[in-house]
């Protein structure tokens, strides 16, 4: 009996949609007469915003049935769901997020902290920001959540923004990067019980949702390859050691030299703001030493460009006088001149996983199950062998 009634409703909906829907979307024009008795048309009235009551009138289904159908309730048949969704699409009806927020107490906002680039504290390039946001947006597609970007100046400002978001209820979850070895933001959010996910890991033994690149292995693999190519003086162009992944890279760099039984090269580790300018100035300074490096392990694309520029200014040829291994997450290193051996990990992939992890965390999944470390791919484009030794290395 219930099924027969639904079929009748669907049949009635098909009849009503054409007539009533057309009346709603295209109301008849009314004519009036001016002061001279001449007929004239009134301005077209504004088309009203479709409501659930309007959808009910068009389809003949109750508001309760429509609400259940739009939320994919199992108590409504698939045929009814399809009919209601088709009518909603024709009317341009969308559920009110504001009304949903009032009912659930949620904001349906995901706060993403975006640091403002500066000379003294800089981690992501502007292009990388868009790639990360693109990945997160792909993960959120189809959900009720939307991104809300919050700009931060530095780590201290970032903590204040985190507190503001939590205390004022500005979002239901949070995503951020630039993770420090001991990160006050992570500690605060765990204590507050606020859902979040991070790009990177701190060094404290805490459980929270995160994705990360295996920076220790990346630095080890790059240094190991340069050692195999005959390089003994190798430079590591690194980020600020306050950042957790900077320490991971130092660990991998040192491990490769230790495994090979070589003397450490800590005097060739430089840290800075990860710009091309810093990469070039570091290269010029390092090559000015009495025992300069012939191999360079770079932390990102911008630094790599600076290193190449510095070597060129010194009249040195990559592949002959020096070797450079890049780290790339936006796939531009193939277009360097010359193309360089690169550790490649698309950052949009990390962003997408980050967004999916936060959705799962918001759904109640434990953070211990929401952690993944990605190992970059080694793309070999150069032999990375030392073909011309400096006079110091020949002694």
């Amino acid at each position: 009996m219930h099924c027969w009634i639904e079929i009748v409703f669907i049949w009635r909906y098909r009849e009503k949609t054409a007539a009533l829907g057309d009346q709603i979307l295209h109301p008849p024009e009314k004519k009036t007469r001016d002061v001279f008795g001449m007929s004239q048309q009134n301005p077209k009235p504004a088309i009203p915003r479709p409501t659930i009551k309007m959808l009910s009138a068009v389809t003949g289904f109750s508001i309760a049935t429509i609400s259940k159908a739009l939320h994919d309730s199992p108590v409504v048949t698939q045929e009814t769901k399809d009919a209601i969704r088709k009518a909603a699409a024709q009317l341009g009806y969308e559920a009110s997020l504001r009304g949903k927020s009032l009912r659930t107490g949620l904001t349906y906002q995901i706060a993403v902290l975006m640091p403002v680039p500066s000379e003294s504290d800089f981690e992501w390039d502007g292009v990388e920001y868009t790639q990360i946001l693109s990945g997160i947006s792909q993960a959120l597609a189809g959900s009720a959540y939307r991104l809300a970007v919050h700009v931060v100046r530095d780590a201290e400002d970032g903590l204040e923004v985190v507190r503001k978001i939590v205390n004022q209820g500005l979002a239901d979850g949070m995503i951020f990067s630039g993770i420090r070895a001991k990160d006050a933001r992570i500690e605060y959010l765990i204590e507050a019980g606020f859902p979040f996910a991070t790009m990177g890991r701190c060094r404290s033994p805490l459980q929270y949702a995160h994705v990360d690149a295996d920076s220790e292995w990346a630095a080890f693999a790059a240094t190991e390859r340069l050692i195999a190519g005959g390089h003994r003086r190798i430079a590591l162009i690194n980020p600020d050691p306050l950042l957790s992944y900077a320490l991971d890279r130092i660990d991998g760099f040192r491990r490769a030299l230790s495994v090979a039984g070589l003397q450490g090269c800590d005097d060739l580790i430089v840290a800075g703001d990860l710009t091309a300018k810093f990469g070039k100035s570091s290269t010029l300074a390092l090559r000015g030493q009495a025992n300069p490096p012939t191999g360079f392990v770079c932390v990102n694309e911008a630094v790599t460009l600076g290193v190449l520029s510095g070597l060129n200014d010194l009249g040195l040829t990559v592949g002959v006088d020096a070797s450079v291994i890049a780290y790339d997450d936006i796939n531009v290193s193939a277009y360097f001149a010359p193309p360089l051996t690169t550790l490649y990990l698309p950052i949009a992939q990390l962003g997408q996983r980050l967004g999916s992890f936060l959705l799962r965390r918001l759904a109640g999944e434990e953070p211990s199950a929401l952690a993944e470390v990605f190992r970059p791919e080694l793309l070999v484009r150069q032999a990375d062998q030392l073909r011309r030794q400096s006079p110091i290395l020949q002694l």
Side-chain angles (χ1 to χ4, degrees):
M1 182 69 179
H2 173 72
C3 182
W4 178 82
I5 291 173
E6 271 198 354
I7 292 171
V8 172
F9 268 135
I10 293 168
W11 175 74
R12 290 179 61 192
Y13 141 73
R14 287 170 180 162
E15 282 190 331
K16 286 186 176 183
T17 298
L20 187 54
D22 188 66
Q23 291 176 23
I24 292 170
L25 296 177
H26 307 287
E29 297 179 357
K30 294 182 180 179
K31 294 184 177 181
T32 59
R33 295 184 179 275
D34 61 19
V35 293
F36 300 103
M38 300 297 291
S39 176
Q40 65 178 34
Q41 289 185 341
N42 285 337
K44 291 184 178 180
I47 297 175
R49 181 179 182 275
T51 65
I52 195 168
K53 288 183 179 179
M54 197 179 291
L55 188 57
S56 176
V58 169
T59 63
F61 292 110
S62 69
I63 291 175
T65 299
I66 291 172
S67 179
K68 291 174 182 176
L70 294 177
H71 287 86
D72 205 28
S73 171
V75 302
V76 181
T77 66
Q78 189 60 48
E79 188 176 6
T80 300
K81 291 177 186 177
D82 292 342
I84 290 172
R85 288 169 181 165
K86 181 179 179 181
Q90 290 175 340
L91 290 177
Y93 171 79
E94 293 183 1
S96 170
L97 193 58
R98 183 165 177 260
K100 193 173 182 181
S101 295
L102 291 173
R103 291 193 304 273
T104 62
L106 300 174
T107 66
Y108 295 98
Q109 298 285 324
I110 300 296
V112 178
L113 306 190
M114 179 181 290
V116 177
S118 68
E119 286 294 322
S120 59
D121 186 10
F122 177 66
E123 185 199 358
W124 282 348
D125 193 358
V127 177
E128 292 173 321
Y129 287 130
T130 61
Q131 293 290 315
I132 293 166
L133 291 174
S134 173
I136 296 172
S137 298
Q138 289 176 38
L140 299 185
S143 76
Y145 290 96
R146 297 295 180 267
L147 292 181
V149 175
H150 295 256
V151 174
V152 297
R153 294 185 299 273
D154 50 38
E156 289 69 29
D157 182 47
L159 180 58
E160 289 305 311
V161 172
V162 165
R163 286 174 175 159
K164 180 180 178 181
I165 291 169
V166 173
N167 294 332
Q168 296 185 14
L170 301 179
D172 303 323
M174 198 179 309
I175 290 173
F176 55 95
S177 70
I179 307 305
R180 298 196 167 199
K182 181 175 173 60
D183 201 296
R185 297 167 299 178
I186 292 174
E187 295 173 355
Y188 173 80
L189 290 170
I190 290 176
E191 180 68 23
F194 191 86
F196 71 99
T198 66
M199 178 83 78
R201 299 165 287 166
C202 69
R203 292 203 157 197
S204 303
L206 302 172
Q207 287 192 347
Y208 53 94
H210 66 267
V211 299
D212 200 5
D214 193 341
S215 295
E216 195 278 342
W217 180 86
F220 174 85
T223 309
E224 181 184 49
R225 179 170 177 81
L226 291 173
I227 292 170
H231 297 274
R232 294 298 178 263
R233 293 284 287 166
I234 301 170
L236 175 66
I237 317 294
N238 219 30
D240 188 329
L242 287 174
L243 295 169
S244 186
Y245 82 103
L247 301 180
D248 293 341
R249 291 175 59 82
I250 292 173
D251 289 344
F253 177 71
R254 288 172 173 167
R255 180 164 69 92
L257 292 165
S258 176
V259 168
L262 298 176
Q263 184 178 354
C265 293
D266 280 11
D267 60 314
L268 300 179
I269 299 175
V270 293
D273 57 13
L274 304 188
T275 61
K277 178 181 178 181
F278 172 71
K280 182 171 184 175
S281 63
S282 297
T283 302
L284 296 176
L286 289 166
R287 286 294 305 186
Q289 293 187 15
N291 190 7
T294 57
F296 293 82
V297 177
C298 300
V299 67
N300 73 347
E301 307 89 337
V303 163
T304 304
L305 285 172
V307 170
L308 293 176
S309 177
L311 293 173
N312 182 69
D313 284 2
L314 294 171
L316 301 175
T317 303
V318 173
V320 178
D321 304 293
S323 295
V324 180
I325 295 185
Y327 185 92
D328 185 5
D329 48 26
I330 57 175
N331 199 25
V332 298
S333 58
Y335 304 100
F336 290 160
L340 302 176
T341 295
T342 300
L343 288 147
Y344 175 61
L345 179 60
I347 201 165
Q349 178 184 347
L350 273 67
Q352 188 167 5
R353 190 61 55 88
L354 197 59
S356 67
F357 275 2
L358 185 55
L359 286 178
R360 289 165 62 184
R361 185 75 187 97
L362 289 165
E365 195 164 340
E366 290 298 319
S368 57
L370 303 174
E372 188 168 0
V373 177
F374 293 79
R375 181 166 288 188
E377 180 184 2
L378 181 65
L379 303 178
V380 176
R381 300 190 179 109
Q382 292 284 328
D384 300 312
Q385 295 178 347
L386 182 59
R387 301 185 185 278
R388 184 186 299 160
Q389 293 188 334
S390 67
I392 293 291
L393 292 175
Q394 291 176 351
L395 294 179

